[in-house]
Structures are given as structure tokens and as C-alpha cells.
Amino acid sequence: MVRISLLLLCLLVSTLLFTSSSAQQAPAFVSLDCGGTEPFTDELGLKWSPDNHLIYGETANISTSFNETRTQYTTLRHFPADSRKYCYNLSVISRNRYLLRATFLYGDFDHNNVYPKFDISLGATHWANIAISEASTIEMAELVFLATSSSVSVCLSNATTGQPFISTLELRQLNGSMYTTDFEDRFYLSVAARINFGAESEDPVRYPDDPFDRIWQSDLLKKANYLVDVAAGTVRVSTTLPIEGYADDLPPQKVMQTAVVGTNGSLTYRMNLEGFPGFGRAYTYFAEIEDLAEDESRKFRLVLPDHPEISKAIVNVKENAQRAYRTYEPGFNNLTLPFVLNFRFAKTADSSRGPILNAMEISKYLKKSDGSIDATVMANIASLYSSTEWGQEGGDPCLPSPWSWVECNSDPQPRVVAVKLSNMNLTGNIPSDLAKLTGLVELWLDGNSFTGPIPDFSRCINLEIIHLENNQLTGKIPSSLAKLPNLKELYLQNNLLSGKIPSVAENVISNFSGNIYLSKRGDKGKKLGVIIGASIGAAVLLIVTIVSCICMCRGKKNNKMRKTSAELTNRTLPVQRVSSTLSEAHGDAAHCFTLYEIEEATKKFEKRIGSGGFGIVYYGITKEGKEIAVKVLANNSYQGKREFANEVTLLSRIHHRNLVQFLGYCQEEGRNMLVYEFMHNGTLKEHLYGVVPRDRRISWIKRLEIAEDAARGMVKPSQKQDRNLSWYYISQQLTEKSDVYSFGVILLELISGQEAISNENFGVNCRNIVQWAKMHIDNGDIRGIIDPALAEDDYSLQSMWKIAEKALLCVKPHGNMRPSMSEVQKDVQDAIRIEKEALAARGGISDEFSRSSAHSSSLNMGTTYDLAGSQNYVSIDDSVLQPTPR
Ligand SMILES: *[C@@H]1O[C@H](CO)[C@@H](O)[C@H](O)[C@H]1NC(C)=O
Ligand SMILES: *[C@@H]1O[C@H](CO)[C@@H](O)[C@H](O)[C@H]1NC(C)=O
Ligand SMILES: *[C@@H]1O[C@H](CO)[C@@H](O)[C@H](O)[C@H]1NC(C)=O
Ligand SMILES: *[C@@H]1O[C@H](CO)[C@@H](O)[C@H](O)[C@H]1NC(C)=O
Ligand SMILES: *[C@@H]1O[C@H](CO)[C@@H](O)[C@H](O)[C@H]1NC(C)=O
Ligand SMILES: *[C@@H]1O[C@H](CO)[C@@H](O)[C@H](O)[C@H]1NC(C)=O
Ligand SMILES: *[C@@H]1O[C@H](CO)[C@@H](O)[C@H](O)[C@H]1NC(C)=O
Ligand SMILES: *[C@@H]1O[C@H](CO)[C@@H](O)[C@H](O)[C@H]1NC(C)=O
Ligand SMILES: *[C@@H]1O[C@H](CO)[C@@H](O)[C@H](O)[C@H]1NC(C)=O
């Protein structure tokens, strides 16, 4: 009875709270203007507040040249590109559902060469990877979640390239049971598409039309792979009459008042679904908004390639909704969907009208992380120090990356294994919660002003290293402390401890000195033992250090030798030794040269072979006899370590081994150098747009053949069955998708004759070929990227388009969105076929010519050299340009 009335009271209170809040204009909304300074209300009536309470990160302004006038997008907050996470803490009401939206407008805030790429997480759950590909495009991540506590944290981490940043963070409380799913305790709903069909403009419909400020994207929006392959006969219809059947879950009326109709019998669309393949929730929204005559009907089926069972159901909009101008919303609560979604609505034979579609919403089920086991205990500990920076890092202590003063193991549900709070000016008692961290291996609390007794750590049986020295700890030393089964180091010196020194095992290094109230152990032998033990320990440590140093150096050498021999036998082996700052999450690898190696190879930078705004290029020969070109970057061309690291990462993504080979880098004594293979015969680049005169530039069909050969060279090794080394397979697997990326860049280079990275060629908003080409291709302007050296009658636009579209797929930010190498190869072959047919139609080429020329190009760059393992560069010399008799 008491419980029921309590429940009623709660209901009452929350209803009161809600009505009072919804009467005012949506205070259940939180809109953070990241980097902003003043609160303001935007033109939609949304109230924005600055995030200036945040102690982390720095603010930046977006240049006005980006034409972005909405105040919330003129500023942003960015964070250091390190291995930490940076969190926002948002208050929520437990057991309520929310829509959470984060947006990112890069706007070249840092004038960097590399677009930022980082992760965003909700609490311990990885939410999305944010990969900026255009400075002026607003990236957005959205999810729906059920709050389970009174706050949630949204964190940015894993700076792969550039600096993590954020423009806005928006939290919208949903009403009642909106977006309830059977899986909401274990899954978030990550929004992949919310589309308003038949929209009147490119602008989305959102607040105040949608009281929950869901963003209904216009179907007119120009975005790559968004609603393409539209069937002929698709028309846009709209009405001003009201649409009935309003419920919170349904789209707002404005969205339902417009639609598309397949006048020729079907509606078809293709689009990419971010985050998929996976299980998702998919809803379609229909309302009859055309006036049908008595004898007319509109009946259709949904056709999904992988779901034949779905096509059985017939939609009869008017009948299902009970009347016209009323919403009907069939949907699937758990459907497997692919990344590339093709869907079709097809009219039934007995229907007089084609299908109609007003709106659609697709979300992916995003598995919630359980978080680390010690999350609650650690939150309690951190809350004791909430005024310090490290005490308010927020989020999970371990996931997706640990707090700065914590180390965790890599279990699926991680545990805290080290707490490192040396010299932090901490006072008061040692938090007793620390003793609940049963996975703890190292505890560093030395050099503080802790007072009071040492807590009982007897449950922390993994503890190996305990540093409590240089505090003001009092009381007896718990006997359990010295008896911890795995103890290796116990430092308690310079405290105010009293009682007896406990006996410790022989192999434990310990120090109890400087505790004036601690009674010495009578047994001199034992004390001597401690000292001897300690010295032996120190000596062992020293030896271990020396030995491991030697091993590391050996390892270095071995790796280098391995690398060289690998190069001799097969160039496709990935370089093994990778600098830890540069390897990061990529499968790509770059070798770190020492300055000494470079100086030796270049004879202290003796022979200068080129120069430019970036710096000077020197010639060199490595100890292994390999000729190299060393680009010494001008001091001002890179601001810092991180930028250089980004550039190296980018280069190792872009330069494929079959073309100009990027060998590695050197970063010592403030100098940044990039090392390439030296090319005697010039590179593909030079032949495309370099020193070779225009009239000798390579034709389009020749470029396609070069691409085909390179593709063949890349497809082959991974299919070779006789290489019985499993690590080889694994690394090959790892690099396949990054090879596809490199190949996409090569295709763009072949189309445009442009270098992959250039400060001048791509205009203000693009710094590399990918952004530049994408911008043109997305705008349907393929001519804008075609090499001007190619005569108009030298190529067919059809094959250009084919290659350009494939190239853009290859350079998709996520590996899993990229096509396979053999798929790309097939398209290149198709393009060659198109060109040959076109040439034949023009009577311009004989079969004889194309066959022999294809052959010679493969001689120069493809598999032949790859397997022989000698010189491996593209040398497109005159022999390629002329038919070679065979
Ligand atoms: C951004 O612009 C505002 C107003 O023009 C200025 O006060 C502020 O200092 C700028 N912030 C940065 C980081 O440049
Ligand atoms: C901003 O507007 C100007 C003038 O309309 C235009 O030339 C420029 O390209 C725009 N900049 C961006 C980044 O869209
Ligand atoms: C929320 O739900 C209540 C009860 O169903 C309803 O009366 C109210 O209008 C809804 N609020 C909004 C903003 O839709
Ligand atoms: C409509 O479909 C018919 C038969 O499938 C076809 O012949 C016609 O060209 C189509 N009309 C349009 C506008 O696509
Ligand atoms: C959806 O269905 C599949 C089986 O078809 C099941 O494994 C999965 O747990 C369901 N729910 C979600 C959220 O994926
Ligand atoms: C987040 O905010 C809530 C309530 O405002 C507070 O109780 C909690 O301690 C905060 N968490 C962190 C990590 O600051
Ligand atoms: C500790 O306090 C001293 C003196 O107040 C200060 O200089 C130092 O920065 C503090 N250290 C930390 C880690 O807070
Ligand atoms: C123990 O600590 C004291 C004070 O820091 C130091 O002088 C002494 O060398 C240490 N003893 C050992 C064996 O490490
Ligand atoms: C960091 O991001 C990259 C992709 O950008 C991803 O492959 C990698 O797994 C991420 N690392 C972590 C620790 O999440």
C-alpha cells in the first residue's frame, strides 16, 4: 500500500514537473554551444548555453569564410590529441528516454594539414567514429537512450588524426514511451536515417515543427550515396490539409504533408546506412495525401533484396490508416540491414496508383558496454577529489580509455590494475574504497600528505607494488599488508607509523625507515637481509634493465634485417617495427629511421636533389644498398610532433608499395624527415604531371591499364595459398582495406593528374585530393577533376564516372565501407572495356595495339616485379607509350 501511494506520488510529481516544464518552452532540452561564451536563443527558439564550465579543452572560432551564421556553429571546443578522453557530464532523469545529438563543424579551426578523426562514446559505450572529410560539412551523431542514472557522460577520445573537437551537444527529453524497444536495457538506438520524403527544400524539419527536435532530413539533401538510384517517374506531392493520427512517435505533420509517389509503379532508393550492417529498427510512415477517386486504389509491397519474406505484406495506405490524411506506420523492431541499403516499393498488379512514401526512420541497435567492474568504486574515489582536474575526468574509469591516473587491464569488462597518485598534494585519509579494487596490482600514493591509518588491503591479493612513503600516515602497519601473496615492493618510509615492523618475504623490497615511532626489529640479521635483499633487488633490476635494453636494440636490428630480407623476397610484407606514436590504430606502418642512419645514408646531407616550399630533398644510400630520397621538412612546415605523426600516418595510407614507396620517417633533434624510395626513372606522378612534356602524357586508357595492373598486383598476394605463414595472412588481412584506400587515391591521381597532397592545387577548403575530388563528384562535376592534359575525345565520360565513383568508395573513412580489391579491379576492367568499345567505334585503335601495350605496362609495374622482388617502382618510360613487339 505504501509502495503504491509512493508510486502514485512519484507519478504525480513527475507529471507536474513535466507539465510545468513543457508549458515553458522545452526546458527538457539541453543545448550546449561548445566553445561559446554567452547564452542565446536561436531563430528556432532553442535556448543555447555555453560550455564554459568545462575545465578541459580550448575554444576556437570558425573563420567567417565558411559562411556559417548560426551562432552555435561559429565556435567549437577542441581537445589535445593525446590518448586521454575528454567528457561532458549531462544531468538526466533516470528511467526517461532521451535523444542525444552531437555535431561537428570542423571549419579548419586549427589550420592543420589533416582532417580530425576520433571517437565519441556515451559512458563506456563506443558510439561513433567521427571522421571529418570536408571542412564545411556538419557531421552529426545521434542516439536514443534510456537513462539509468542521474547523469550521463559523452566523451571524445582516440585522436587518430588531428584534434578531437565538438560544435554542439544537444539533449532532448522524449515523452512517455516514445522509442521504447524490447532491447533498451542492453542496446542504444543509434540513428542512421530519418528522412522527410518530398521535402520542399534542402532544409531539415525540426523544432518547433517536431516538439522533440528530431531532425527530419530532406530527401533533397546533397550527400554522397544518399537516396540515389531514384526510379524514373518519381514525383513529389504535398498538401496543406492537416494529417490526422498524431502520436509522439510519429513524424510531425509538416513531414507527413509531403511525399514521393512512384507514378510508374515503383519507388526505388539506395543509400548508405552509417554503422550498419547490423540489427536495426526501421519504420516507414505513409499517409494518403492525394485525392483518389472512388474506384482508385493504392496498394504496394516493400521489396528488400535480403528479405523476401517482407515482400509478402501489402500496404494499402488508406485502408491501413482507416482513411486518407491519416498516418499509417508499419515498421520492424529488429531487422538485419546492410550498409548499402537498396529498397523498393512496388505497386501490386491490381492497384491503380503507384506507391507513396512520406517518411522513414532507421536506427541501429548499438550494444551497451557493461563498463569496467570498478566503475562505481572509482566514481566514489574520484568524487572525493571533485575539485581537482583529475577528479572530474568523467565517464568510465577504463573505457574507452582510462583516466589519466589509472591503468586498467584489457578484459572485456576491465578492472583497474594501477592507481597512480604520487605527489598530488592529497590530504586526509587514504580512501578506504581503494581497498575494494580487488584487481589492483600497483598502488602509488607516495609524496602526499595522507594522514590516518593504512586501510586493510587484504582483499587486493594481486597487489605487487605499494608506495605509501613520504606521507603522514599513522597507526600500525596492518600485518596483512606484508603478507600479500604477490608483494614485490613495499615502501612505507618517512611516515608516522608506529608499532612493529612486520616481517616481509625475502624477495620483497621494502623500506620502513624514517618512521620515528616504529620499533626496530631486534634481529640484525634480518635487517641486513632487508638491505641485502634490497641491494640485490636493485642489482637485479639494473641487470634486467640492461638486458632488456640490449634485447630491444637487438630486436631493432633483427627487425631491420627482417625487413630487408622481407623486401628481397616479397615486398608486400608489412614493416614490423613501428614507432608507438605513429602506429596507432592503422594497419599501415611506417619505419622510424634514426638520425644517425639518415646521416650515414646521405653522407651528412651531401647531395641535394630537389627543394620546394616544404624543404629540401637529399639523395642517400642505406647500409643495405637501397637508394633513398630524404625530404627534410622546413622547420615551419610542421608545428609539432602530432602534426608530423598525422602526416606520416596519412602518407603510409596513401603511398602504395606498387607506386612511390614511402619508406619511413625520422624525427630527431627537432628535425622532421620523410624517407622515400629513390626513383631513377621518375615516378608515376612525374609522368602524369611532372617533368614529362604534355604531349607525352599518358592517355586515359593507358592509365586504366596501369590501374588494372596495379590492382592485379594487389589482389594476387592475398590469394596466394602456398605462403604458409599465418602471421603473413593476418597482416595481409589487416592491410587489405588500407590498400584499397591507397588504390582509391591512385585512381583519383590517374583521373586528375594531381598529386595526392598539395597546398596549392585544391583550393581553400581542401588540402588533399580526396576532399577535392569528393567535393566535385558529389556536385556531379566530374569535368572539374579530369586532367586537363587529357583531350576531350580521349576518354568517355561513362568510364570516368565509373572510376571516379569507385575511387570515392575506396577512400571511405571506414575500412568496412570500402569495396574489396577484386571488386575495384573488376570495375577498372569494365572501364577499359568501355574505352575500347568507344575507341573501336571511333575507329581509333586496333586490338593489336591495346593488347601489346597492356602487356608492357604490366611488365613495368605489376606482379612481375612484385614477385621478383627487385626494383619495385612504377617506371612508365617510353616503352609503355609505344606498342612493344613481343
Ligand atoms: C573568438 O571570437 C570572439 C569574439 O570575436 C573573441 O572574443 C575570442 O577571443 C575568439 N576566440 C578565439 C579562441 O580566438
Ligand atoms: C562562402 O560564400 C562565398 C560567396 O558566396 C563563396 O564564394 C564561398 O565559396 C563560400 N565558402 C564556403 C566555404 O562555402
Ligand atoms: C507528452 O505526453 C503527454 C501524455 O501522453 C501528452 O499529453 C503531451 O502532449 C506530450 N507532450 C508533448 C510535448 O508531446
Ligand atoms: C514507365 O514504365 C514503362 C514500362 O516499364 C516504360 O516503358 C516507361 O519508359 C516508363 N516511364 C518512365 C517515365 O520512366
Ligand atoms: C534481433 O534478432 C536477433 C536474431 O534474429 C537477435 O540475435 C538479437 O539479439 C535481436 N536484437 C537485437 C537488438 O539485436
Ligand atoms: C555529473 O553531474 C552529476 C549531477 O550534476 C554529479 O552528481 C556527478 O558527480 C557528475 N559527474 C562527474 C564525473 O563529474
Ligand atoms: C602541490 O602544491 C604545490 C604548492 O601549493 C603546487 O606548487 C603544486 O603544483 C601542487 N601539485 C599538484 C600536483 O597539485
Ligand atoms: C629507505 O628510505 C630512506 C629514506 O628515503 C633512504 O635514505 C634509504 O636509502 C632507503 N633504503 C633502502 C634500502 O632503499
Ligand atoms: C581508434 O580509431 C580507429 C579508427 O579511427 C579504430 O580502428 C580503433 O579501433 C580505435 N581505437 C580504440 C582504442 O578504440
Side-chain angles (χ1 to χ4, degrees):
M1 191 59 210
V2 176
R3 269 172 83 177
I4 291 173
S5 46
L6 257 181
L7 197 73
L8 280 175
L9 189 69
C10 282
L11 274 175
L12 194 69
V13 169
S14 56
T15 323
L16 277 177
L17 274 178
F18 192 80
T19 33
S20 69
S21 59
S22 59
Q24 290 174 23
Q25 168 245 316
F29 286 8
V30 175
S31 308
L32 281 184
D33 170 21
C34 305
T37 48
E38 301 289 333
F40 69 95
T41 303
D42 70 11
E43 67 277 14
L44 301 174
L46 294 169
K47 294 195 169 76
W48 293 85
S49 34
D51 68 342
N52 49 13
H53 59 282
L54 214 71
I55 54 169
Y56 294 108
E58 283 176 41
T59 63
N61 293 333
I62 302 279
S63 150
T64 48
S65 66
F66 284 93
N67 304 339
E68 183 51 71
T69 53
R70 285 172 291 175
T71 313
Q72 65 269 34
Y73 286 114
T74 56
T75 61
L76 55 78
R77 183 175 292 273
H78 58 97
F79 301 95
D82 54 23
S83 57
R84 289 179 56 178
K85 60 170 175 271
Y86 296 94
C87 301
Y88 283 83
N89 183 17
L90 302 172
S91 294
V92 290
I93 303 167
S94 191
R95 301 312 296 172
N96 272 268
R97 280 173 209 85
Y98 291 86
L99 175 68
L100 179 61
R101 179 160 55 227
T103 70
F104 310 86
L105 174 62
Y106 171 54
D108 197 24
F109 73 87
D110 56 356
H111 311 294
N112 195 351
N113 283 326
V114 174
Y115 283 149
K117 181 170 169 183
F118 52 90
D119 286 345
I120 183 167
S121 49
L122 177 60
T125 305
H126 177 263
W127 172 4
N129 180 253
I130 307 297
I132 303 301
S133 54
E134 265 165 4
S136 55
T137 301
I138 298 176
E139 297 287 337
M140 186 163 89
E142 256 193 42
L143 63 72
V144 172
F145 70 95
L146 173 71
T148 53
S149 66
S150 62
S151 65
V152 291
S153 56
V154 176
C155 308
L156 305 186
S157 66
N158 191 13
T160 309
T161 50
Q163 289 181 65
F165 72 94
I166 183 164
S167 304
T168 72
L169 196 54
E170 300 162 50
L171 186 66
R172 312 291 183 231
Q173 192 179 339
L174 301 174
N175 201 2
S177 61
M178 279 177 81
Y179 294 95
T180 307
T181 75
D182 292 344
F183 315 107
E184 65 185 358
D185 290 332
R186 288 179 299 123
F187 293 88
Y188 298 126
L189 276 178
S190 161
V191 181
R194 201 190 287 111
I195 305 166
N196 173 20
F197 284 93
E200 272 155 2
S201 74
E202 267 193 50
D203 296 333
V205 173
R206 60 182 293 184
Y207 187 84
D209 293 303
D210 187 317
F212 305 102
D213 194 27
R214 289 169 294 180
I215 290 184
W216 297 86
Q217 236 30 293
S218 163
D219 63 343
L220 295 172
L221 190 68
K222 288 195 186 62
K223 223 165 59 165
N225 297 313
Y226 174 72
L227 303 179
V228 289
D229 291 352
V230 181
T234 301
V235 301
R236 315 171 75 77
V237 296
S238 67
T239 180
T240 51
L241 295 174
I243 309 292
E244 245 186 60
Y246 183 78
D248 288 340
D249 279 53
L250 299 184
Q253 172 163 292
K254 188 165 176 191
V255 168
M256 294 308 296
Q257 281 173 328
T258 64
V260 287
V261 170
T263 55
N264 213 17
S266 63
L267 284 171
T268 63
Y269 290 98
R270 173 164 61 85
M271 64 188 300
N272 289 357
L273 289 178
E274 210 58 54
F276 282 89
F279 292 109
R281 174 189 184 276
Y283 273 77
T284 43
Y285 302 95
F286 305 108
E288 184 54 78
I289 56 169
E290 287 191 305
D291 294 316
L292 304 191
E294 276 293 297
D295 58 344
E296 284 191 301
S297 65
R298 192 191 303 278
K299 293 199 271 181
F300 52 89
R301 294 184 164 92
L302 169 60
V303 184
L304 285 182
D306 298 328
H307 294 282
E309 76 285 359
I310 280 174
S311 315
K312 289 189 191 127
I314 294 175
V315 177
N316 181 337
V317 177
K318 221 163 128 180
E319 224 173 79
N320 289 123
Q322 286 149 28
R323 62 181 219 81
Y325 301 96
R326 194 168 192 285
T327 303
Y328 168 56
E329 76 288 11
F332 303 95
N333 279 318
N334 186 6
L335 188 67
T336 337
L337 289 172
F339 171 63
V340 178
L341 176 68
N342 280 293
F343 64 92
R344 185 158 76 95
F345 289 99
K347 92 177 194 41
T348 60
D350 62 343
S351 170
S352 61
R353 296 286 189 114
I356 191 169
L357 177 60
N358 307 59
M360 192 166 92
E361 193 173 16
I362 299 176
S363 306
K364 181 186 150 79
Y365 286 110
L366 183 68
K367 179 100 179 66
K368 282 194 207 180
S369 161
D370 294 328
S372 54
I373 292 179
D374 301 316
T376 316
V377 173
M378 290 301 285
N380 290 341
I381 296 171
S383 70
L384 300 172
Y385 305 99
S386 56
S387 61
T388 65
E389 237 184 70
W390 56 268
Q392 32 183 314
E393 291 182 23
D396 186 274
C398 299
L399 294 170
S401 56
W403 288 343
S404 61
W405 47 286
V406 167
E407 284 171 19
C408 302
N409 64 16
S410 52
D411 292 356
Q413 220 190 330
R415 307 203 71 118
V416 171
V417 294
V419 168
K420 298 191 166 176
L421 290 171
S422 305
N423 308 314
M424 295 292 217
N425 296 342
L426 306 182
T427 55
N429 285 358
I430 292 180
S432 56
D433 274 335
L434 282 172
K436 294 183 187 161
L437 301 171
T438 51
L440 209 56
V441 177
E442 292 184 34
L443 178 63
W444 297 76
L445 300 177
D446 51 298
N448 288 298
S449 303
F450 280 119
T451 50
I454 298 174
D456 175 9
F457 284 101
S458 55
R459 284 172 58 208
C460 307
I461 54 163
N462 296 319
L463 262 175
E464 291 178 10
I465 296 173
I466 301 176
H467 282 265
L468 302 178
E469 71 269 24
N470 304 326
N471 278 294
Q472 286 143 38
L473 297 170
T474 51
K476 291 192 174 131
I477 300 173
S479 59
S480 58
L481 201 60
K483 291 199 192 110
L484 285 165
N486 292 300
L487 195 62
K488 295 202 172 83
E489 291 176 22
L490 178 59
Y491 285 84
L492 297 175
Q493 70 268 28
N494 303 331
N495 276 295
L496 302 167
L497 297 165
S498 53
K500 280 218 165 82
I501 295 181
S503 54
V504 291
E506 294 274 298
N507 60 343
V508 174
I509 305 172
S510 62
N511 194 336
F512 301 101
S513 70
N515 285 290
I516 50 172
Y517 306 117
L518 207 56
S519 56
K520 301 201 167 52
R521 268 178 300 209
D523 185 351
K524 270 194 174 176
K526 259 204 174 161
K527 193 174 175 193
L528 201 62
V530 172
I531 294 169
I532 292 173
S535 342
I536 290 176
V540 166
L541 205 72
L542 192 69
I543 291 169
V544 167
T545 315
I546 292 170
V547 168
S548 61
C549 268
I550 292 173
C551 288
M552 266 163 71
C553 298
R554 281 255 177 85
K556 223 162 150 176
K557 273 207 183 119
N558 280 348
N559 275 330
K560 215 178 295 154
M561 276 160 63
R562 199 182 315 153
K563 183 196 163 204
T564 323
S565 60
E567 275 166 359
L568 290 175
T569 52
N570 188 325
R571 291 299 285 276
T572 62
L573 295 184
V575 180
Q576 293 294 295
R577 199 179 84 81
V578 176
S579 146
S580 62
T581 54
L582 295 166
S583 65
E584 285 182 4
H586 291 285
D588 322 298
H591 179 70
C592 171
F593 288 85
T594 65
L595 184 57
Y596 176 76
E597 284 174 297
I598 300 273
E599 280 181 345
E600 260 205 334
T602 59
K603 296 197 184 143
K604 294 213 154 112
F605 305 101
E606 188 185 70
K607 187 169 163 196
R608 191 172 158 148
I609 52 174
S611 67
F614 53 81
I616 301 170
V617 185
Y618 297 92
Y619 174 82
I621 303 181
T622 65
K623 269 217 290 289
E624 294 83 23
K626 187 183 196 67
E627 291 177 286
I628 57 174
V630 179
K631 206 187 244 190
V632 182
L633 300 169
N635 273 341
N636 58 1
S637 52
Y638 289 94
Q639 298 117 24
K641 270 196 150 157
R642 192 80 203 175
E643 283 75 14
F644 182 67
N646 287 343
E647 194 68 9
V648 170
T649 309
L650 198 72
L651 279 171
S652 36
R653 271 169 80 174
I654 284 179
H655 290 273
H656 189 265
R657 57 180 171 272
N658 281 327
L659 296 167
V660 188
Q661 204 185 1
F662 173 64
L663 296 177
Y665 64 98
C666 170
Q667 193 176 35
E668 263 181 56
E669 295 179 10
R671 291 213 272 183
N672 295 321
M673 299 175 226
L674 300 171
V675 182
Y676 300 89
E677 184 165 17
F678 178 73
M679 304 273 160
H680 275 290
N681 297 335
T683 64
L684 172 65
K685 276 185 193 160
E686 282 168 8
H687 284 274
L688 285 178
Y689 48 77
V691 288
V692 180
R694 284 213 159 183
D695 56 354
R696 278 179 47 202
R697 285 190 177 188
I698 309 166
S699 71
W700 176 235
I701 189 162
K702 180 69 52 204
R703 295 181 193 196
L704 287 173
E705 282 163 359
I706 290 169
E708 210 267 316
D709 274 327
R712 205 182 316 143
M714 288 162 77
V715 172
K716 265 193 181 156
S718 56
Q719 290 169 347
K720 222 168 252 8
Q721 293 301 311
D722 54 3
R723 235 174 268 274
N724 197 11
L725 289 163
S726 59
W727 62 268
Y728 172 81
Y729 277 112
I730 293 160
S731 50
Q732 194 62 42
Q733 292 281 317
L734 282 176
T735 55
E736 223 240 354
K737 288 294 179 184
S738 44
D739 280 350
V740 172
Y741 185 97
S742 312
F743 195 73
V745 173
I746 290 165
L747 290 178
L748 294 176
E749 290 184 343
L750 289 169
I751 292 172
S752 65
Q754 300 285 347
E755 258 182 290
I757 304 177
S758 161
N759 283 330
E760 298 102 42
N761 296 348
F762 302 127
V764 271
N765 294 324
C766 304
R767 271 165 316 230
N768 71 45
I769 198 165
V770 173
Q771 299 148 12
W772 172 77
K774 187 170 180 312
M775 191 185 77
H776 282 281
I777 295 170
D778 286 352
N779 289 336
D781 170 27
I782 192 149
R783 283 180 212 269
I785 64 162
I786 296 177
D787 188 350
L790 290 173
E792 285 234 359
D793 57 3
D794 182 36
Y795 56 85
S796 84
L797 271 182
Q798 203 195 340
S799 71
M800 264 313 167
W801 264 117
K802 200 171 195 68
I803 298 303
E805 286 192 327
K806 205 49 150 201
L808 283 196
L809 283 182
C810 292
V811 297
K812 279 269 163 199
H814 304 273
N816 60 2
M817 300 181 198
R818 298 177 199 151
S820 70
M821 205 52 231
S822 40
E823 215 178 309
V824 185
Q825 188 188 12
K826 198 187 148 291
D827 267 10
V828 174
Q829 286 163 345
D830 286 350
I832 293 176
R833 197 174 32 73
I834 293 171
E835 283 301 322
K836 283 189 180 157
E837 281 164 14
L839 278 176
R842 290 200 295 269
I845 193 169
S846 75
D847 270 345
E848 185 61 41
F849 178 88
S850 53
R851 206 183 320 122
S852 53
S853 60
H855 200 129
S856 62
S857 71
S858 88
L859 237 182
N860 280 290
M861 53 171 312
T863 47
T864 331
Y865 276 90
D866 214 20
L867 295 177
S870 59
Q871 297 290 47
N872 187 28
Y873 47 79
V874 199
S875 73
I876 301 156
D877 51 24
D878 287 355
S879 67
V880 186
L881 302 174
Q882 306 296 324
T884 334
R886 272 265 144 187

